[in-house]
């Protein structure tokens, strides 16, 4: 019955030809491409882009409640892609959509995806009692985007992963860094040796002049 009611709503809002975009507009849902772009920015830690995309979606008249459902659904798909080898069989999605999900999953960790899912699930429950749904949603977006501002255990794991990644980058360039450091140390050692050798001469010379006088 609900499906028929939605179908009737969609048909009444179109001019004889029903398209995917018109269905989204009729039910207030968000475009899949917009949601995937939003989560991509979230995974990259780009808070500015997250705010821009949020504003863009909401200005189009989309519901925050439905947007959160879409975000949670996409996060689930990303977790399936990230943690299983049979994502296509589980999700029943076309190859191009699976490829898009894999591209996003490759730039993040399962810990960050799990933490984001928990954050948005909590917000979905809180929306029922809030008069400011947009503020709740944007606060959740920041928490999910910037784990360094969140003291949850999963957020700390994400921060550790980022530090390990940076350390691996440093180690991969370790030879260059080590050579530079060694050269600097050798220059400093030579400078110290030269200073130590010259200091006794400078002390003795005034003493000799005093004896002659």
């Amino acid at each position: 019955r609900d499906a028929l009611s939605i179908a009737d709503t969609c048909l009444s809002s179109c001019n004889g030809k029903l398209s995917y975009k018109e269905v989204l507009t009729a039910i207030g849902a968000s475009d899949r491409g917009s949601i995937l772009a939003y989560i991509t920015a979230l995974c990259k830690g780009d808070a500015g882009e997250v705010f821009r995309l949020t504003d863009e979606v909401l200005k189009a008249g989309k519901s925050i409640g439905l947007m959160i459902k879409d975000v949670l659904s996409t996060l689930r798909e990303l977790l399936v892609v990230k943690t299983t080898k049979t994502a296509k069989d589980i999700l029943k999605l076309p190859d191009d959509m699976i490829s898009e999900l894999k591209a996003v999953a490759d730039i993040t960790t399962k810990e960050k995806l799990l933490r984001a899912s928990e954050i948005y699930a909590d917000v979905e429950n809180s929306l029922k009692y809030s008069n400011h749904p947009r503020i709740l949603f944007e606060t959740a977006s920041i928490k999910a985007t910037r784990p360094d501002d969140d003291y949850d255990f999963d957020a700390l794991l994400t921060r550790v992963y980022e530090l390990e990644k940076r350390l691996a980058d440093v180690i991969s360039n370790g030879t260059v860094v080590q050579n530079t450091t060694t050269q600097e140390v050798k220059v400093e050692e030579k400078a110290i040796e030269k200073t130590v050798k010259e200091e006794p001469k400078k002390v003795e010379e005034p003493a000799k002049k005093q004896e002659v006088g």
Side-chain angles (χ1 to χ4, degrees):
R1 185 180 297 176
D2 290 340
L4 289 172
S5 176
I6 292 171
D8 185 56
T9 301
C10 294
L11 287 170
S12 63
S13 64
C14 71
N15 296 320
K17 187 177 181 181
L18 191 62
S19 66
Y20 175 69
K21 186 176 180 180
E22 287 170 334
V23 171
L24 292 176
T25 302
I27 65 176
S30 305
D31 177 70
R32 183 180 178 84
S34 300
I35 295 299
L36 203 57
Y38 170 87
I39 295 178
T40 300
L42 184 152
C43 293
K44 290 181 177 179
D46 190 345
E49 183 66 5
V50 165
F51 272 109
R52 188 191 71 78
L53 289 167
T54 300
D55 187 61
E56 185 179 282
V57 171
L58 296 181
K59 278 183 177 178
K62 307 304 179 184
S63 163
I64 286 182
L66 286 175
M67 185 173 179
I68 290 177
K69 289 182 185 297
D70 291 339
V71 169
L72 282 169
S73 177
T74 306
L75 285 170
R76 172 190 170 271
E77 292 170 354
L78 287 169
L79 278 167
V80 171
V81 169
K82 188 74 177 177
T83 58
T84 69
K85 296 180 180 180
T86 57
K88 186 178 178 181
D89 296 332
I90 296 171
L91 298 175
K92 308 296 183 185
L93 292 173
D95 290 340
D96 58 337
M97 287 187 178
I98 294 292
S99 298
E100 289 176 352
L101 290 170
K102 283 183 178 178
V104 179
D106 287 343
I107 65 173
T108 189
T109 64
K110 65 178 183 298
E111 289 81 14
K112 188 164 186 174
L113 293 172
L114 284 168
R115 179 57 184 155
S117 298
E118 290 175 356
I119 290 171
Y120 288 109
D122 289 341
V123 171
E124 187 178 29
N125 293 328
S126 301
L127 282 178
K128 303 172 187 176
Y129 314 103
S130 175
N131 294 323
H132 306 285
R134 177 164 182 165
I135 293 174
L136 278 179
F137 181 79
E138 289 179 340
T139 302
S141 298
I142 290 298
K143 288 179 71 176
T145 304
R146 309 243 343 179
D148 50 333
D149 297 330
D150 187 3
Y151 294 99
D152 179 84
F153 181 72
D154 289 327
L156 292 175
L157 282 178
T158 301
R159 293 170 66 182
V160 169
Y161 169 79
E162 293 295 336
L163 289 172
E164 288 177 343
K165 187 177 178 182
R166 291 180 188 176
L167 181 60
D169 291 339
V170 172
I171 292 173
S172 65
N173 298 323
T175 304
V176 177
V177 174
Q178 187 175 0
N179 288 342
T180 304
T181 306
T182 304
Q183 289 174 1
E184 290 176 354
V185 170
K186 285 183 178 179
V187 169
E188 289 179 3
E189 286 178 349
K190 288 181 180 179
I192 293 170
E193 288 177 2
K194 186 177 180 182
T195 304
V196 171
K197 288 179 181 178
E198 289 179 353
E199 279 183 354
K201 293 180 181 179
K202 290 180 181 179
V203 175
E204 290 175 3
E205 284 176 2
K208 289 181 180 179
K209 287 181 181 179
Q210 288 177 2
E211 288 177 5
V212 174

